[in-house]
C-alpha cells in the first residue's frame, strides 16, 4: 500500500485534504496495534496487516480493513473510492458514524470484561499435542502448508511434552521440523541465521527478512534439542545463529538490533541468491562445483536470478553441517570454513541489506534468554557474555524514572514499557541467574516483577493488560494470550511468576501465578495448541517439579568452583521443571532475604552440600553432584 497508494499523488491529495494521517510502528506501539486489530477482528471476523483504520478525532474507530488496492479491482473496494465515500459521509451523516463508533467501543469493553476462568489441567496439554499431531507434515516437518512459520515455542512444547510423557513421537515431530528447517533455504547457509518464514511447504524459498526474536527463539529450540538428544548438529546450528547475531545484529555497546530487510537493491532475496558461475569465480572451479552440487545451485535456479543454497536434496547434510559450522578442527574443516567466509565476503561486496537498528527491550529479553541458555548448555562462555552485555545495555539505556522504555535508537530511548517488555526482560534476568547464580539478577527480576504485577495485572479477573495502569489510556485495555510468532506477554508473565515462586519460595508469586493460570486455562479453551508457551508453565506446575539447593563455602572464585557452577547451569538448562539455587558464604544474607527458606540450609565449612527435592520428596543432603545426577536419572527413568 505504501508504494501503490500512499505515494500516489491523487490518493495523497485526498488523504491530506480530508484526513489526519497517522502511521503506527507496531513494534514501538504494540498496544495501539493490539487495540485496533481487535477492532478489525470484531468488525470483519479477521485481521491482518497492513491494517487500515478510520476513526473520529478522539480515536474512536468506525471503519476497519486490511489491504486496499489503489482503485477497485476483483470485487475489492479501492482506497480512492473508500476515502472519498467516508469523507462524504462524515460531512452529511456524521451522527451515524459516531453511533457505529460507540457500538464498536461498547462491544470491545464488554468482551474484555467477560474473561472465563478454568481449572488448569493435563487435558489441555494432551489436546494440544493431539492438535499438533493431526496437523503435522510428516514429509517436510512443520504444521501447515505454505506459508510455513518456524514457531519455535511449539517445538519446545513438543520436546518437553515428549520428555514428560515418554512420547518419542513428540520429540520426533520437533526433530523432523528442526532438521528440515536447517536443510531448507530458510536457513542462511552462508552467513547463518533464519529468515522470517517459508513461502512454500518445504522450507525452500523464504520471505528473506530476518528478525531478532525468531532467531532468539530458534536458538532456544535447537539448544533444547541438543540437550535432549546430544545430537551435535543442533548445537552447531544454534552456534551459527548466535555467530550471525553477534556479527550483524549487535550494537557496539551490547544491545541487539531488530533485524534485516528482505530487499537489497530493491529486489527481495537478491542478496541471498547465487549462480553457479559466481560460486566458481569465488571458490575456483573444483571447489565451486562441489559446493554447487552440495547446495543445489544450478543453471536453471530455484528463485529469480539464481539459486538459494539449500540441502533439501542432500542426505549428507549432517556431515556438511559439521564441516561448515562444527567439527573437531583439522585442515579440511578449516578449508571448508574458509570457503564460507569467502562467499560471505563476496555477498557483502555485491550488495548490502538494510538493518533495522532499533533496540527493543522485549526482543532483547528473548535474545538474552537464548544466549544465556546456549552458554549453559553448549558450555560457551562467550554466549553468556553476550547476554550479560545486552542486559547491561538495557539497564543502562532503557530505564527511566524506575520504569522500562520500549526502544532505543541513535542515543534516544522512547516509549512507555509494555507487558512484553517487562515479562521478557524479567525472564532474561532469571535465565541469567540460572547461569551465573549472581544474586543481583534474581533481586532485580523480583523488583521488576513487583512493578509488572502492580501496573499490568488484573486482580479481579486475572490476566495481564498489554499496557500499564498509569500509561496512556486507549479506548480499551486489551489482554493478549495467543502465542503467535512470539509467545504472548501473558504466557511469558506466567513463566516468570512460576520461576520466581519456585526459586524464592514466596507465597505472593504463587498466588498471582494461580490466578494467571486459571485465566490462561479459560483463554485457551478449544485451541490449546495456540497457547503452547503458556502450556510450558502449566506442565511445570502439573508435573512433579525438581528443586536443587546447593550450599558452597567461599570457593566460587576458584577453578573448581567455576566448573561446579557451570555443571549446575547445565542441569538447570537441560531439565524440564528444574530450578537451582546456590547459597554461599558471600551471598547468604541476601539469599535469605530473596528466598527465606534458604535460612534452613547452612553453608558447611567442610565443602559443598546438595539438597534435592523431587515432587513431594526430599533426599538427604549429599556432598557430591554426581550423586544428585544419579538420583535425577533414576527419577527420569533412565535406569540405575
Amino acid at each position: 500500500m505504501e508504494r501503490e497508494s500512499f505515494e500516489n499523488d491523487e490518493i495523497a491529495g485526498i488523504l491530506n485534504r480530508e484526513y489526519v494521517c497517522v502511521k503506527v510502528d507496531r513494534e514501538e506501539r504494540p498496544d495501539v496495534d493490539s487495540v485496533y486489530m481487535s477492532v478489525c477482528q470484531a468488525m470483519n471476523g479477521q485481521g491482518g496487516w497492513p491494517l487500515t483504520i478510520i476513526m473520529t478525532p478522539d480515536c474512536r474507530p468506525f471503519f476497519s480493513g486490511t489491504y486496499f488496492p489503489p482503485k477497485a479491482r476483483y470485487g475489492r473496494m479501492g482506497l480512492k473510492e473508500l476515502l472519498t465515500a467516508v469523507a462524504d459521509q462524515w460531512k452529511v451523516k456524521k451522527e451515524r458514524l459516531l453511533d457505529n463508533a460507540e457500538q464498536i467501543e461498547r462491544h470491545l469493553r464488554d468482551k474484555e470484561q467477560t474473561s472465563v476462568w478454568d481449572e488448569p489441567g493435563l487435558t489441555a496439554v494432551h489436546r494440544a499435542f493431539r492438535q499438533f499431531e493431526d496437523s503435522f507434515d510428516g514429509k517436510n516437518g512443520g504444521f501447515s502448508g505454505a506459508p510455513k512459520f518456524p514457531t519455535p515455542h511449539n517445538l519446545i512444547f513438543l520436546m518437553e511434552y515428549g520428555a514428560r510423557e515418554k512420547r518419542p513421537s513428540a520429540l520426533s515431530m520437533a526433530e523432523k521440523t528442526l532438521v528440515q528447517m536447517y536443510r531448507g533455504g530458510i536457513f542462511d547457509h552462508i552467513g547463518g541465521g533464519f529468515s522470517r518464514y517459508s513461502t512454500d511447504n518445504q522450507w525452500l524459498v523464504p520471505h528473506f527478512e530476518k528478525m531478532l526474536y525468531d532467531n532468539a527463539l530458534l536458538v532456544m529450540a535447537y539448544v533444547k534439542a541438543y540437550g535432549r538428544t546430544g545430537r551435535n548438529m543442533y548445537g552447531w546450528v544454534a552456534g551459527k545463529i548466535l555467530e550471525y547475531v553477534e556479527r550483524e545484529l549487535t550494537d557496539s555497546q551490547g544491545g541487539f538490533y531488530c533485524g534485516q530487510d528482505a530487499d537489497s537493491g530493491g529486489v527481495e532475496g537478491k542478496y541471498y541468491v547465487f549462480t553457479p558461475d559466481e560460486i566458481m569465480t569465488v571458490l575456483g572451479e573444483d571447489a565451486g562445483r562441489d559446493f554447487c552440487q552440495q547446495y543445489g545451485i544450478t543453471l536453471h535456479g530455484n528463485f529469480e536470478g539464481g539459486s538459494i543454497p539449500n540441502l533439501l536434496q542432500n542426505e549428507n547434510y549432517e556431515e556438511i553441517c559439521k564441516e561448515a559450522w562444527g567439527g573437531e578442527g583439522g585442515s579440511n574443516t578449516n578449508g571448508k570454513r574458509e570457503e564460507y567466509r569467502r562467499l560471505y565476503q563476496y555477498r557483502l561486496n555485491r550488495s548490502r541489506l538494510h538493518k533495522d537498528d532499533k533496540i527493543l527491550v522485549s526482543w532483547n529479553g528473548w535474545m538474552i534468554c537464548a544466549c544465556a541458555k546456549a552458554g549453559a548448555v553448549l558450555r560457551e562462555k562467550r554466549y553468556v557474555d553476550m547476554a550479560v552485555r545486552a542486559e547491561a545495555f538495557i539497564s543502562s539505556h532503557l530505564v527511566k524514572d524506575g520504569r522500562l522504555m520500549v526502544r532505543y535508537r541513535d542515543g534516544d530511548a522512547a516509549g512507555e514499557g509494555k507487558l512484553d517488555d517487562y515479562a521478557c526482560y524479567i525472564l532474561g534476568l532469571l535465565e541469567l541467574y540460572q547461569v551465573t547464580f549472581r544474586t543481583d539478577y534474581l533481586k532485580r527480576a523480583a523488583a521488576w516483577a513487583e512493578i509488572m504485577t502492580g501496573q499490568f495485572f488484573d486482580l479481579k479477573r486475572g490476566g495481564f493488560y498489554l499496557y500499564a495502569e498509569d500509561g496512556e489510556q486507549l479506548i480499551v485495555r486489551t489482554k493478549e494470550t495467543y502465542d503467535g510468532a512470539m509467545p504472548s506477554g501473558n504466557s511469558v508473565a506466567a513463566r516468570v511468576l512460576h520461576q520466581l515462586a519456585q526459586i524464592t519460595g514466596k507465597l505472593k508469586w504463587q498466588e498471582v501465578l494461580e490466578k494467571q493460570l486459571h485465566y490462561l486455562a479459560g483463554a485457551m479453551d478449544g485451541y490449546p495448541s495456540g497457547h503452547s508457551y503458556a502450556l510450558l508453565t502449566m506442565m511445570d506446575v502439573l508435573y512433579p517439579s525438581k528443586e536443587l539447593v546447593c550450599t558452597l563455602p567461599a570457593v566460587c572464585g576458584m577453578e573448581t568452583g567455576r566448573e561446579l557452577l557451570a555443571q549446575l547451569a547445565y542441569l538447570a538448562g537441560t531439565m524440564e521443571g528444574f530450578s537451582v539455587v546456590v547459597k554461599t558464604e558471600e551471598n547468604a544474607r541476601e539469599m535469605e532475604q530473596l528466598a527465606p527458606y534458604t535460612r534452613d540450609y547452612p553453608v558447611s565449612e567442610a565443602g559443598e552440600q546438595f539438597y534435592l527435592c523431587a515432587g513431594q520428596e526430599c533426599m538427604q543432603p549429599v556432598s557430591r553432584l554426581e550423586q544428585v545426577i544419579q538420583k535425577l536419572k533414576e527419577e527420569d527413568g533412565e535406569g540405575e
Side-chain angles (χ1 to χ4, degrees):
M1 285 184 73
E2 181 177 6
R3 288 191 295 267
E4 290 180 344
S5 298
F6 303 141
E7 294 177 6
N8 179 295
D9 289 342
E10 187 177 8
I11 292 176
I14 299 171
L15 286 166
N16 291 333
R17 183 175 65 253
E18 304 288 353
Y19 297 86
V20 175
C21 301
V22 179
K23 184 177 180 180
V24 177
D25 184 332
R26 61 192 180 97
E27 294 165 1
E28 292 197 33
R29 292 302 305 265
D31 52 336
V32 173
D33 176 62
S34 174
V35 166
Y36 292 102
M37 183 60 72
S38 65
V39 169
C40 186
Q41 291 167 336
M43 295 182 72
N44 304 301
Q46 61 183 18
W49 295 278
L51 176 61
T52 303
I53 297 285
I54 303 179
M55 63 182 83
T56 67
D58 57 351
C59 301
R60 299 164 63 203
F62 57 82
F63 180 88
S64 67
T66 52
Y67 168 75
F68 294 96
K71 295 182 180 180
R73 63 177 186 232
Y74 308 126
R76 182 183 287 270
M77 180 183 291
L79 186 62
K80 177 185 173 183
E81 293 85 356
L82 170 65
L83 295 173
T84 302
V86 172
D88 290 342
Q89 288 213 1
W90 182 256
K91 293 167 186 173
V92 298
K93 298 179 180 179
K94 182 187 292 189
E95 292 305 317
R96 179 184 296 177
L97 298 181
L98 291 174
D99 184 58
N100 288 345
E102 177 62 32
Q103 291 182 44
I104 293 165
E105 198 172 342
R106 190 183 309 119
H107 170 78
L108 292 175
R109 281 203 212 94
D110 290 345
K111 183 181 177 183
E112 286 300 324
Q113 293 172 4
T114 54
S115 55
V116 178
W117 273 33
D118 201 354
E119 189 71 27
L122 288 176
T123 299
V125 177
H126 297 316
R127 285 183 64 200
F129 169 71
R130 289 193 296 271
Q131 287 172 349
F132 284 125
E133 194 174 39
D134 291 343
S135 62
F136 180 62
D137 180 347
K139 180 181 178 182
N140 302 301
F143 302 91
S144 69
K148 232 169 197 172
F149 290 80
T151 324
H153 37 289
N154 291 348
L155 306 180
I156 294 171
F157 164 80
L158 286 169
M159 286 185 274
E160 294 211 5
Y161 180 83
R164 293 176 186 276
E165 285 290 325
K166 304 294 186 279
R167 287 272 193 130
S169 61
L171 176 60
S172 178
M173 285 191 286
E175 280 206 82
K176 178 70 174 182
T177 304
L178 290 168
V179 168
Q180 292 304 108
M181 287 194 302
Y182 165 71
R183 295 176 72 184
I186 190 174
F187 180 75
D188 179 2
H189 291 273
I190 304 300
F194 279 85
S195 293
R196 181 71 192 85
Y197 59 86
S198 176
T199 61
D200 57 80
N201 66 358
Q202 60 176 335
W203 309 104
L204 174 60
V205 179
H207 172 56
F208 292 90
E209 184 179 30
K210 287 180 180 175
M211 308 301 285
L212 181 71
Y213 63 83
D214 281 319
N215 282 283
L217 289 162
L218 281 161
V219 167
M220 295 165 73
Y222 279 97
V223 167
K224 168 69 77 173
Y226 173 77
R228 178 51 47 189
T229 69
R231 192 174 177 184
N232 284 329
M233 189 184 80
Y234 298 135
W236 296 334
V237 175
K240 193 59 185 176
I241 298 171
L242 291 175
E243 181 183 314
Y244 157 73
V245 170
E246 185 176 29
R247 184 181 61 243
E248 300 198 34
L249 295 184
T250 304
D251 180 80
S252 61
Q253 299 178 76
F256 299 116
Y257 300 136
C258 284
Q260 289 176 311
D261 283 358
D263 295 1
S264 56
V267 179
E268 182 175 345
K270 178 181 177 182
Y271 177 80
Y272 295 98
V273 173
F274 291 89
T275 64
D277 284 345
E278 285 180 297
I279 298 293
M280 285 186 274
T281 297
V282 176
L283 301 183
E285 191 166 336
D286 290 342
R289 188 182 298 110
D290 288 345
F291 190 93
C292 290
Q293 186 175 9
Q294 287 180 338
Y295 283 96
I297 298 171
T298 62
L299 287 172
H300 63 277
N302 56 32
F303 191 72
E304 182 180 350
S307 297
I308 304 163
N310 71 93
L311 294 167
L312 288 171
Q313 303 304 316
N314 194 327
E315 294 301 322
N316 198 34
Y317 60 88
E318 195 149 6
E319 184 61 30
I320 293 170
C321 182
K322 176 180 177 179
E323 291 179 344
W325 320 127
E328 290 118 16
S331 58
N332 181 54
T333 300
N334 291 337
K336 286 290 186 182
R337 291 176 187 171
E338 175 62 17
E339 290 180 5
Y340 293 92
R341 190 199 65 78
R342 285 158 58 190
L343 287 170
Y344 172 75
Q345 192 58 50
Y346 168 79
R347 193 173 70 176
L348 279 180
N349 295 336
R350 187 181 61 179
S351 60
R352 295 265 177 169
L353 295 172
H354 173 73
K355 188 176 297 179
D356 183 350
D357 59 359
K358 293 193 303 292
I359 297 174
L360 300 176
V361 170
S362 59
W363 296 11
N364 271 251
W366 282 122
M367 188 52 76
I368 289 168
C369 289
C371 291
K373 188 78 77 178
V377 177
L378 303 180
R379 300 294 189 94
E380 284 284 352
K381 183 178 179 297
R382 66 190 183 95
Y383 300 151
V384 179
D385 291 342
M386 288 171 65
V388 168
R389 290 188 71 221
E391 190 286 318
F393 181 92
I394 292 175
S395 62
S396 298
H397 295 88
L398 280 151
V399 176
K400 183 178 180 181
D401 299 328
R403 301 289 286 275
L404 287 174
M405 310 295 281
V406 172
R407 69 101 175 120
Y408 175 95
R409 185 175 185 274
D410 288 341
D412 175 56
E416 300 171 342
K418 305 301 183 288
L419 172 62
D420 292 56
D421 299 303
Y422 283 86
C424 294
Y425 178 49
I426 298 167
L427 192 64
L429 288 167
L430 289 169
E431 287 287 356
L432 277 170
Y433 172 72
Q434 290 281 264
V435 173
T436 66
F437 303 105
R438 282 173 40 185
T439 52
D440 61 311
Y441 289 129
L442 180 57
K443 183 178 181 179
R444 287 191 287 131
W448 285 114
E450 294 276 8
I451 296 173
M452 182 179 75
T453 52
Q455 285 290 331
F456 295 87
F457 191 62
D458 183 344
L459 287 169
K460 183 178 179 182
R461 289 178 290 270
F464 287 82
Y465 293 110
L466 187 55
Y467 62 85
E469 186 175 26
D470 63 2
E472 179 186 354
Q473 301 298 300
L474 305 178
I475 59 171
V476 66
R477 285 184 81 191
T478 57
K479 301 173 188 172
E480 292 188 340
T481 61
Y482 176 69
D483 296 327
M486 282 185 290
S488 71
N490 267 287
S491 294
V492 183
R495 201 147 179 84
V496 161
L497 292 167
H498 177 259
Q499 289 192 12
L500 281 171
Q502 192 176 30
I503 293 170
T504 70
K506 290 190 175 179
L507 184 60
K508 63 179 178 181
W509 303 124
Q510 184 64 39
E511 290 174 343
V512 181
L513 173 64
E514 288 177 5
K515 288 184 179 180
Q516 179 68 356
L517 289 179
H518 278 82
Y519 169 76
L520 286 170
M524 69 177 63
D525 182 50
Y527 189 39
S529 61
H531 300 78
S532 60
Y533 199 81
L535 288 172
L536 292 176
T537 304
M538 209 165 281
M539 285 194 291
D540 282 345
V541 171
L542 295 171
Y543 290 93
S545 63
K546 300 178 182 71
E547 294 88 23
L548 177 66
V549 177
C550 173
T551 62
L552 296 173
V555 298
C556 291
M558 298 168 57
E559 186 62 34
T560 53
R562 287 194 293 271
E563 175 57 27
L564 176 60
L565 293 181
Q567 289 179 287
L568 291 170
Y570 177 84
L571 286 176
T574 54
M575 299 198 65
E576 289 77 22
F578 188 64
S579 70
V580 180
V581 169
V582 174
K583 179 180 175 182
T584 68
E585 288 179 354
E586 294 92 338
N587 73 17
R589 181 172 297 179
E590 193 164 28
M591 278 306 302
E592 288 169 7
Q593 292 177 338
L594 291 167
Y597 67 90
T598 60
R599 293 191 186 99
D600 298 329
Y601 297 86
V603 176
S604 171
E605 293 182 1
E608 58 261 27
Q609 293 286 303
F610 301 95
Y611 302 80
L612 176 66
C613 293
Q616 302 300 315
E617 296 183 4
C618 294
M619 63 184 283
Q620 289 295 314
V622 295
S623 58
R624 291 187 298 112
L625 184 58
E626 290 78 8
Q627 295 169 279
V628 174
I629 294 172
Q630 179 61 32
K631 179 66 174 177
L632 290 170
K633 287 181 178 179
E634 293 171 7
E635 292 284 338
D636 202 35
E638 294 184 17
E640 298 301 323

